[in-house]
Amino acid sequence: VDPANADVYLIWSLLPFDQGEYMKAHAVIQSGIDELPHEADLHYRAATYLIYEGRYREALTSLETALTLDFD
C-alpha cells in the first residue's frame, strides 16, 4: 500500500462508509489529507462524509479547500 497515493485513502474509506460508519470513513480520509494535503479529491470526499455526519460548516470548509485546489 502506497500512502502517497490518494486512491488508497479514497478506496479504503469506502469500507466503513458502506457500513454506515461515517466517522471512521472520515478518519481514513483525514489520514489521507494529513499525508497529502494538496489532493483535492480527498477534500471533496471529506466534505461528503462530513455532510453525512451532519457537520455542515466543516463540510463547507472542506469543499472550499477542494475547489481552491482543483480550480482550473
Side-chain angles (χ1 to χ4, degrees):
V1 177
D2 181 7
N5 183 341
D7 289 337
V8 170
Y9 298 100
L10 293 168
I11 294 168
W12 180 24
S13 73
L14 291 174
L15 296 171
F17 178 80
D18 287 344
Q19 296 175 359
E21 296 182 28
Y22 308 127
M23 289 178 69
K24 286 183 181 180
H26 180 253
V28 171
I29 288 298
Q30 188 59 53
S31 295
I33 290 171
D34 293 344
E35 191 71 31
L36 305 164
H38 300 293
E39 286 289 337
D41 288 343
L42 294 173
H43 292 278
Y44 283 122
R45 185 70 62 87
T48 301
Y49 293 162
L50 287 165
I51 289 168
Y52 272 88
E53 291 179 56
R55 297 165 58 186
Y56 304 112
R57 288 183 191 266
E58 291 172 82
L60 181 58
T61 300
S62 290
L63 183 57
E64 288 173 341
T65 301
L67 290 169
T68 299
L69 291 170
D70 200 25
F71 186 78
D72 290 330

